[in-house]
Amino acid sequence: MSRTDTPPRSGAHAPHSGQAALLRRTLRRHAAGVTIVTVPGPAGFTATSFCALSLDPALISFCVATGNSAAHAVRQADRFAVHLLGAGDAGLADRFARSGEDRFATTVRVTDHDGLPVLSAAPAWLSARVVARQPVGDHVLIIGEVIAGGVRESLPALVRHDGRYVVTARLDA
């Protein structure tokens, strides 16, 4: 058997209290794009849970932890924007990941006519109308139908992997 085919050893299953640690440790091996989600208020947070769900209709999703300082505003919002971050945006991602400070204080943003903040520093963004909310464990899954978006510049994507920020690079075939 190869390493990837090796079944877990007896007793390798974590007890319920250890499952979160197991999940965190394992998911450090999964690279995830770094985004910032914003809602009217303004409120926002850094997320790696962004996902495209469907092309027709155009649906996107993300999750927010119920204990996140922006969670209440996100649960109340009827729309949101997701900002896909680039190679130079690690500081912006860190600011939106911290609680207890005004995440928008030094952030250049454009507010659309309905009060939805769009970060002009992000290389790409999408806005969506919320079509579903679903509590899932200690998070809330939000699904939205895309209504607008744009790409301002093509930069390598900011990615979270093994507990740190990295950027994407093309591999030769």
mmCIF file with all atom_site columns, all heavy atoms in Angstrom, residues 136-153:
data_model
loop_
_atom_site.group_PDB
_atom_site.id
_atom_site.type_symbol
_atom_site.label_atom_id
_atom_site.label_alt_id
_atom_site.label_comp_id
_atom_site.label_asym_id
_atom_site.label_entity_id
_atom_site.label_seq_id
_atom_site.pdbx_PDB_ins_code
_atom_site.Cartn_x
_atom_site.Cartn_y
_atom_site.Cartn_z
_atom_site.occupancy
_atom_site.B_iso_or_equiv
_atom_site.pdbx_formal_charge
_atom_site.auth_seq_id
_atom_site.auth_comp_id
_atom_site.auth_asym_id
_atom_site.auth_atom_id
_atom_site.pdbx_PDB_model_num
ATOM 1   N N   . VAL A 1 136 ? -24.778 25.054 10.326  1.00 0.00 ? 136 VAL A N   1
ATOM 2   C CA  . VAL A 1 136 ? -24.032 23.804 10.155  1.00 0.00 ? 136 VAL A CA  1
ATOM 3   C C   . VAL A 1 136 ? -22.994 23.747 11.268  1.00 0.00 ? 136 VAL A C   1
ATOM 4   O O   . VAL A 1 136 ? -21.969 24.434 11.198  1.00 0.00 ? 136 VAL A O   1
ATOM 5   C CB  . VAL A 1 136 ? -23.340 23.747 8.767   1.00 0.00 ? 136 VAL A CB  1
ATOM 6   C CG1 . VAL A 1 136 ? -22.620 22.428 8.586   1.00 0.00 ? 136 VAL A CG1 1
ATOM 7   C CG2 . VAL A 1 136 ? -24.335 23.975 7.634   1.00 0.00 ? 136 VAL A CG2 1
ATOM 8   N N   . GLY A 1 137 ? -23.252 22.962 12.304  1.00 0.00 ? 137 GLY A N   1
ATOM 9   C CA  . GLY A 1 137 ? -22.327 22.878 13.427  1.00 0.00 ? 137 GLY A CA  1
ATOM 10  C C   . GLY A 1 137 ? -22.122 24.240 14.055  1.00 0.00 ? 137 GLY A C   1
ATOM 11  O O   . GLY A 1 137 ? -23.086 24.946 14.368  1.00 0.00 ? 137 GLY A O   1
ATOM 12  N N   . ASP A 1 138 ? -20.856 24.653 14.201  1.00 0.00 ? 138 ASP A N   1
ATOM 13  C CA  . ASP A 1 138 ? -20.551 25.949 14.806  1.00 0.00 ? 138 ASP A CA  1
ATOM 14  C C   . ASP A 1 138 ? -20.396 27.054 13.762  1.00 0.00 ? 138 ASP A C   1
ATOM 15  O O   . ASP A 1 138 ? -19.830 28.106 14.041  1.00 0.00 ? 138 ASP A O   1
ATOM 16  C CB  . ASP A 1 138 ? -19.299 25.858 15.693  1.00 0.00 ? 138 ASP A CB  1
ATOM 17  C CG  . ASP A 1 138 ? -18.056 25.430 14.930  1.00 0.00 ? 138 ASP A CG  1
ATOM 18  O OD1 . ASP A 1 138 ? -18.138 25.154 13.719  1.00 0.00 ? 138 ASP A OD1 1
ATOM 19  O OD2 . ASP A 1 138 ? -16.985 25.370 15.555  1.00 0.00 ? 138 ASP A OD2 1
ATOM 20  N N   . HIS A 1 139 ? -20.930 26.831 12.567  1.00 0.00 ? 139 HIS A N   1
ATOM 21  C CA  . HIS A 1 139 ? -20.879 27.805 11.473  1.00 0.00 ? 139 HIS A CA  1
ATOM 22  C C   . HIS A 1 139 ? -22.273 28.009 10.869  1.00 0.00 ? 139 HIS A C   1
ATOM 23  O O   . HIS A 1 139 ? -23.188 27.249 11.152  1.00 0.00 ? 139 HIS A O   1
ATOM 24  C CB  . HIS A 1 139 ? -19.943 27.321 10.361  1.00 0.00 ? 139 HIS A CB  1
ATOM 25  C CG  . HIS A 1 139 ? -18.494 27.523 10.682  1.00 0.00 ? 139 HIS A CG  1
ATOM 26  N ND1 . HIS A 1 139 ? -17.852 26.845 11.693  1.00 0.00 ? 139 HIS A ND1 1
ATOM 27  C CD2 . HIS A 1 139 ? -17.565 28.323 10.114  1.00 0.00 ? 139 HIS A CD2 1
ATOM 28  C CE1 . HIS A 1 139 ? -16.593 27.226 11.745  1.00 0.00 ? 139 HIS A CE1 1
ATOM 29  N NE2 . HIS A 1 139 ? -16.389 28.122 10.796  1.00 0.00 ? 139 HIS A NE2 1
ATOM 30  N N   . VAL A 1 140 ? -22.378 29.015 10.042  1.00 0.00 ? 140 VAL A N   1
ATOM 31  C CA  . VAL A 1 140 ? -23.567 29.227 9.223   1.00 0.00 ? 140 VAL A CA  1
ATOM 32  C C   . VAL A 1 140 ? -23.098 29.252 7.777   1.00 0.00 ? 140 VAL A C   1
ATOM 33  O O   . VAL A 1 140 ? -22.162 29.985 7.433   1.00 0.00 ? 140 VAL A O   1
ATOM 34  C CB  . VAL A 1 140 ? -24.289 30.553 9.572   1.00 0.00 ? 140 VAL A CB  1
ATOM 35  C CG1 . VAL A 1 140 ? -25.481 30.773 8.647   1.00 0.00 ? 140 VAL A CG1 1
ATOM 36  C CG2 . VAL A 1 140 ? -24.726 30.554 11.027  1.00 0.00 ? 140 VAL A CG2 1
ATOM 37  N N   . LEU A 1 141 ? -23.734 28.430 6.945   1.00 0.00 ? 141 LEU A N   1
ATOM 38  C CA  . LEU A 1 141 ? -23.467 28.396 5.514   1.00 0.00 ? 141 LEU A CA  1
ATOM 39  C C   . LEU A 1 141 ? -24.365 29.419 4.841   1.00 0.00 ? 141 LEU A C   1
ATOM 40  O O   . LEU A 1 141 ? -25.579 29.423 5.065   1.00 0.00 ? 141 LEU A O   1
ATOM 41  C CB  . LEU A 1 141 ? -23.749 26.999 4.959   1.00 0.00 ? 141 LEU A CB  1
ATOM 42  C CG  . LEU A 1 141 ? -23.766 26.850 3.442   1.00 0.00 ? 141 LEU A CG  1
ATOM 43  C CD1 . LEU A 1 141 ? -22.374 27.073 2.864   1.00 0.00 ? 141 LEU A CD1 1
ATOM 44  C CD2 . LEU A 1 141 ? -24.307 25.475 3.053   1.00 0.00 ? 141 LEU A CD2 1
ATOM 45  N N   . ILE A 1 142 ? -23.762 30.299 4.055   1.00 0.00 ? 142 ILE A N   1
ATOM 46  C CA  . ILE A 1 142 ? -24.504 31.322 3.327   1.00 0.00 ? 142 ILE A CA  1
ATOM 47  C C   . ILE A 1 142 ? -24.356 31.037 1.834   1.00 0.00 ? 142 ILE A C   1
ATOM 48  O O   . ILE A 1 142 ? -23.233 30.867 1.339   1.00 0.00 ? 142 ILE A O   1
ATOM 49  C CB  . ILE A 1 142 ? -23.959 32.740 3.612   1.00 0.00 ? 142 ILE A CB  1
ATOM 50  C CG1 . ILE A 1 142 ? -23.830 33.005 5.117   1.00 0.00 ? 142 ILE A CG1 1
ATOM 51  C CG2 . ILE A 1 142 ? -24.783 33.799 2.896   1.00 0.00 ? 142 ILE A CG2 1
ATOM 52  C CD1 . ILE A 1 142 ? -25.116 33.108 5.870   1.00 0.00 ? 142 ILE A CD1 1
ATOM 53  N N   . ILE A 1 143 ? -25.461 30.999 1.115   1.00 0.00 ? 143 ILE A N   1
ATOM 54  C CA  . ILE A 1 143 ? -25.454 30.792 -0.339  1.00 0.00 ? 143 ILE A CA  1
ATOM 55  C C   . ILE A 1 143 ? -26.040 32.035 -0.981  1.00 0.00 ? 143 ILE A C   1
ATOM 56  O O   . ILE A 1 143 ? -27.060 32.564 -0.530  1.00 0.00 ? 143 ILE A O   1
ATOM 57  C CB  . ILE A 1 143 ? -26.269 29.552 -0.730  1.00 0.00 ? 143 ILE A CB  1
ATOM 58  C CG1 . ILE A 1 143 ? -25.667 28.305 -0.074  1.00 0.00 ? 143 ILE A CG1 1
ATOM 59  C CG2 . ILE A 1 143 ? -26.328 29.400 -2.253  1.00 0.00 ? 143 ILE A CG2 1
ATOM 60  C CD1 . ILE A 1 143 ? -26.496 27.050 -0.243  1.00 0.00 ? 143 ILE A CD1 1
ATOM 61  N N   . GLY A 1 144 ? -25.380 32.520 -2.038  1.00 0.00 ? 144 GLY A N   1
ATOM 62  C CA  . GLY A 1 144 ? -25.856 33.706 -2.728  1.00 0.00 ? 144 GLY A CA  1
ATOM 63  C C   . GLY A 1 144 ? -25.842 33.543 -4.235  1.00 0.00 ? 144 GLY A C   1
ATOM 64  O O   . GLY A 1 144 ? -25.028 32.800 -4.786  1.00 0.00 ? 144 GLY A O   1
ATOM 65  N N   . GLU A 1 145 ? -26.750 34.257 -4.882  1.00 0.00 ? 145 GLU A N   1
ATOM 66  C CA  . GLU A 1 145 ? -26.794 34.304 -6.346  1.00 0.00 ? 145 GLU A CA  1
ATOM 67  C C   . GLU A 1 145 ? -26.030 35.536 -6.809  1.00 0.00 ? 145 GLU A C   1
ATOM 68  O O   . GLU A 1 145 ? -26.311 36.657 -6.364  1.00 0.00 ? 145 GLU A O   1
ATOM 69  C CB  . GLU A 1 145 ? -28.229 34.357 -6.840  1.00 0.00 ? 145 GLU A CB  1
ATOM 70  C CG  . GLU A 1 145 ? -28.320 34.269 -8.347  1.00 0.00 ? 145 GLU A CG  1
ATOM 71  C CD  . GLU A 1 145 ? -29.736 34.072 -8.847  1.00 0.00 ? 145 GLU A CD  1
ATOM 72  O OE1 . GLU A 1 145 ? -30.692 34.177 -8.046  1.00 0.00 ? 145 GLU A OE1 1
ATOM 73  O OE2 . GLU A 1 145 ? -29.881 33.819 -10.047 1.00 0.00 ? 145 GLU A OE2 1
ATOM 74  N N   . VAL A 1 146 ? -25.061 35.327 -7.675  1.00 0.00 ? 146 VAL A N   1
ATOM 75  C CA  . VAL A 1 146 ? -24.183 36.408 -8.138  1.00 0.00 ? 146 VAL A CA  1
ATOM 76  C C   . VAL A 1 146 ? -24.994 37.459 -8.883  1.00 0.00 ? 146 VAL A C   1
ATOM 77  O O   . VAL A 1 146 ? -25.813 37.136 -9.746  1.00 0.00 ? 146 VAL A O   1
ATOM 78  C CB  . VAL A 1 146 ? -23.062 35.847 -9.041  1.00 0.00 ? 146 VAL A CB  1
ATOM 79  C CG1 . VAL A 1 146 ? -22.238 36.974 -9.656  1.00 0.00 ? 146 VAL A CG1 1
ATOM 80  C CG2 . VAL A 1 146 ? -22.164 34.893 -8.247  1.00 0.00 ? 146 VAL A CG2 1
ATOM 81  N N   . ILE A 1 147 ? -24.746 38.738 -8.531  1.00 0.00 ? 147 ILE A N   1
ATOM 82  C CA  . ILE A 1 147 ? -25.415 39.839 -9.213  1.00 0.00 ? 147 ILE A CA  1
ATOM 83  C C   . ILE A 1 147 ? -24.433 40.798 -9.880  1.00 0.00 ? 147 ILE A C   1
ATOM 84  O O   . ILE A 1 147 ? -24.818 41.522 -10.787 1.00 0.00 ? 147 ILE A O   1
ATOM 85  C CB  . ILE A 1 147 ? -26.355 40.618 -8.261  1.00 0.00 ? 147 ILE A CB  1
ATOM 86  C CG1 . ILE A 1 147 ? -25.617 41.081 -7.003  1.00 0.00 ? 147 ILE A CG1 1
ATOM 87  C CG2 . ILE A 1 147 ? -27.554 39.773 -7.899  1.00 0.00 ? 147 ILE A CG2 1
ATOM 88  C CD1 . ILE A 1 147 ? -26.450 41.902 -6.040  1.00 0.00 ? 147 ILE A CD1 1
ATOM 89  N N   . ALA A 1 148 ? -23.179 40.798 -9.453  1.00 0.00 ? 148 ALA A N   1
ATOM 90  C CA  . ALA A 1 148 ? -22.183 41.688 -10.063 1.00 0.00 ? 148 ALA A CA  1
ATOM 91  C C   . ALA A 1 148 ? -20.791 41.179 -9.702  1.00 0.00 ? 148 ALA A C   1
ATOM 92  O O   . ALA A 1 148 ? -20.640 40.289 -8.858  1.00 0.00 ? 148 ALA A O   1
ATOM 93  C CB  . ALA A 1 148 ? -22.365 43.129 -9.574  1.00 0.00 ? 148 ALA A CB  1
ATOM 94  N N   . GLY A 1 149 ? -19.788 41.769 -10.315 1.00 0.00 ? 149 GLY A N   1
ATOM 95  C CA  . GLY A 1 149 ? -18.414 41.404 -9.992  1.00 0.00 ? 149 GLY A CA  1
ATOM 96  C C   . GLY A 1 149 ? -17.455 42.046 -10.961 1.00 0.00 ? 149 GLY A C   1
ATOM 97  O O   . GLY A 1 149 ? -17.857 42.762 -11.875 1.00 0.00 ? 149 GLY A O   1
ATOM 98  N N   . GLY A 1 150 ? -16.197 41.783 -10.742 1.00 0.00 ? 150 GLY A N   1
ATOM 99  C CA  . GLY A 1 150 ? -15.196 42.330 -11.635 1.00 0.00 ? 150 GLY A CA  1
ATOM 100 C C   . GLY A 1 150 ? -13.808 41.841 -11.297 1.00 0.00 ? 150 GLY A C   1
ATOM 101 O O   . GLY A 1 150 ? -13.546 41.370 -10.192 1.00 0.00 ? 150 GLY A O   1
ATOM 102 N N   . VAL A 1 151 ? -12.939 41.951 -12.284 1.00 0.00 ? 151 VAL A N   1
ATOM 103 C CA  . VAL A 1 151 ? -11.526 41.641 -12.109 1.00 0.00 ? 151 VAL A CA  1
ATOM 104 C C   . VAL A 1 151 ? -10.772 42.929 -12.409 1.00 0.00 ? 151 VAL A C   1
ATOM 105 O O   . VAL A 1 151 ? -10.862 43.472 -13.506 1.00 0.00 ? 151 VAL A O   1
ATOM 106 C CB  . VAL A 1 151 ? -11.073 40.508 -13.054 1.00 0.00 ? 151 VAL A CB  1
ATOM 107 C CG1 . VAL A 1 151 ? -9.574  40.269 -12.928 1.00 0.00 ? 151 VAL A CG1 1
ATOM 108 C CG2 . VAL A 1 151 ? -11.857 39.232 -12.772 1.00 0.00 ? 151 VAL A CG2 1
ATOM 109 N N   . ARG A 1 152 ? -10.051 43.439 -11.424 1.00 0.00 ? 152 ARG A N   1
ATOM 110 C CA  . ARG A 1 152 ? -9.313  44.693 -11.582 1.00 0.00 ? 152 ARG A CA  1
ATOM 111 C C   . ARG A 1 152 ? -7.911  44.454 -12.121 1.00 0.00 ? 152 ARG A C   1
ATOM 112 O O   . ARG A 1 152 ? -7.377  45.257 -12.860 1.00 0.00 ? 152 ARG A O   1
ATOM 113 C CB  . ARG A 1 152 ? -9.243  45.424 -10.255 1.00 0.00 ? 152 ARG A CB  1
ATOM 114 C CG  . ARG A 1 152 ? -10.591 45.911 -9.783  1.00 0.00 ? 152 ARG A CG  1
ATOM 115 C CD  . ARG A 1 152 ? -10.449 46.781 -8.535  1.00 0.00 ? 152 ARG A CD  1
ATOM 116 N NE  . ARG A 1 152 ? -11.761 47.178 -8.075  1.00 0.00 ? 152 ARG A NE  1
ATOM 117 C CZ  . ARG A 1 152 ? -12.447 46.538 -7.140  1.00 0.00 ? 152 ARG A CZ  1
ATOM 118 N NH1 . ARG A 1 152 ? -11.933 45.486 -6.554  1.00 0.00 ? 152 ARG A NH1 1
ATOM 119 N NH2 . ARG A 1 152 ? -13.637 46.953 -6.782  1.00 0.00 ? 152 ARG A NH2 1
ATOM 120 N N   . GLU A 1 153 ? -7.290  43.354 -11.692 1.00 0.00 ? 153 GLU A N   1
ATOM 121 C CA  . GLU A 1 153 ? -5.950  43.025 -12.175 1.00 0.00 ? 153 GLU A CA  1
ATOM 122 C C   . GLU A 1 153 ? -5.693  41.544 -11.982 1.00 0.00 ? 153 GLU A C   1
ATOM 123 O O   . GLU A 1 153 ? -6.248  40.915 -11.093 1.00 0.00 ? 153 GLU A O   1
ATOM 124 C CB  . GLU A 1 153 ? -4.874  43.854 -11.485 1.00 0.00 ? 153 GLU A CB  1
ATOM 125 C CG  . GLU A 1 153 ? -4.872  43.784 -9.976  1.00 0.00 ? 153 GLU A CG  1
ATOM 126 C CD  . GLU A 1 153 ? -3.869  44.741 -9.357  1.00 0.00 ? 153 GLU A CD  1
ATOM 127 O OE1 . GLU A 1 153 ? -2.744  44.837 -9.862  1.00 0.00 ? 153 GLU A OE1 1
ATOM 128 O OE2 . GLU A 1 153 ? -4.226  45.378 -8.370  1.00 0.00 ? 153 GLU A OE2 1
#
